[in-house]
Amino acid sequence: MSDDKTKSASPHVLPSLPYADTALAPVISAQTIGFHYGKHHRGYVDNLNKLVAGTEFAGLPLEKIIAGTAGKADKTAFFNNAAQTWNHTFYWNSLRPKGGGEPPAALKQRIEASFGDLDSCKKELAAAAMAQFGSGWAWLVLDGGKLKVVKTGNADMPLTTGMKPLLTIDVWEHAYYLDYQNRRADYVNAVLDTLINWHFAAENLA
Ligand SMILES: [Fe+2]
């Protein structure tokens, strides 16, 4: 992701949504975005600002806080709120109105080299999203020159294990419950078919 999309001064700021809160309907309603962006994402940013005040992490960019707290049992709250701030900004950019469809040519070639075809890549993403037990994320990543699908639990994210995230799907219940109740697969498939932002993934790959 380019710096301007994640870089935040201290205090950390909730980035603007890249589209109107009605723009992803009917797949993701304005009501879901109202809670997900307006309450959950904002909550992570606000909690992070409270946590870092007066600590060694005050004034550090998000990525530095994430790298400095990942895997440290006494820094879990810092990591969770910093990573969730980053993950959600990345998620909003991983979606776009009138998304889905065909990836840009360079990304499509890489997808075909790693998965065989686009449909197999989408199926792997959907399977990872469904297999994540409880809260978490499904990701398309670049790992050692190859595209891969991975899933992470809770706030965990691929940056901390040396992989480069290209796009993500939030599978916490707050991402879909108002619109789909327990039907996570319907949410995931609708996102992959109509909202996923292959252009954002291609920018991250470049
Ligand atoms: Fe979320």
Side-chain angles (χ1 to χ4, degrees):
M1 185 156 51
S2 60
D3 280 355
D4 59 325
K5 291 191 178 123
T6 45
K7 196 176 262 178
S8 41
S10 188
H12 299 275
V13 174
L14 180 69
S16 303
L17 271 183
Y19 30 72
D21 64 357
T22 52
L24 305 183
V27 173
I28 298 175
S29 67
Q31 190 192 19
T32 289
I33 291 185
F35 282 98
H36 196 179
Y37 171 76
K39 305 286 185 196
H40 292 277
H41 193 179
R42 184 183 301 280
Y44 297 125
V45 176
D46 289 348
N47 284 338
L48 180 64
N49 282 326
K50 283 184 204 147
L51 281 166
V52 300
T55 73
E56 63 193 290
F57 300 109
L60 290 187
L62 213 41
E63 286 86 349
K64 287 240 162 76
I65 300 174
I66 291 166
T69 58
K72 293 187 179 164
D74 61 335
K75 298 285 192 292
T76 306
F78 289 90
F79 175 79
N80 284 342
N81 286 286
Q84 284 295 80
T85 296
W86 194 98
N87 291 346
H88 280 88
T89 301
F90 199 79
Y91 169 66
W92 300 123
N93 283 286
S94 296
L95 308 177
R96 69 181 184 113
K98 300 193 176 78
E102 292 283 307
L107 173 61
K108 194 174 178 204
Q109 278 178 6
R110 298 292 294 272
I111 286 174
E112 287 169 352
S114 295
F115 299 96
D117 55 33
L118 177 64
D119 205 42
S120 301
C121 174
K122 287 169 66 179
K123 281 191 176 130
E124 268 203 45
L125 275 164
M130 289 308 296
Q132 174 54 41
F133 183 78
S135 298
W137 304 82
W139 306 81
L140 180 66
V141 301
L142 181 63
D143 183 25
K146 198 169 164 28
L147 301 197
K148 274 209 296 209
V149 167
V150 296
K151 58 186 164 62
T152 59
N154 298 316
D156 283 344
M157 39 111 86
L159 274 184
T160 59
T161 48
M163 294 182 275
K164 182 172 189 175
L166 302 181
L167 60 76
T168 194
I169 303 173
D170 188 341
V171 296
W172 284 57
E173 283 186 347
H174 65 219
Y176 61 87
Y177 218 82
L178 289 174
D179 297 327
Y180 298 86
Q181 293 76 52
N182 60 324
R183 291 175 285 116
R184 185 189 287 188
D186 290 353
Y187 154 74
V188 168
N189 287 320
V191 163
L192 282 168
D193 286 338
T194 64
L195 296 182
I196 205 74
N197 188 349
W198 296 118
H199 296 273
F200 179 62
E203 281 172 31
N204 290 322
L205 184 62

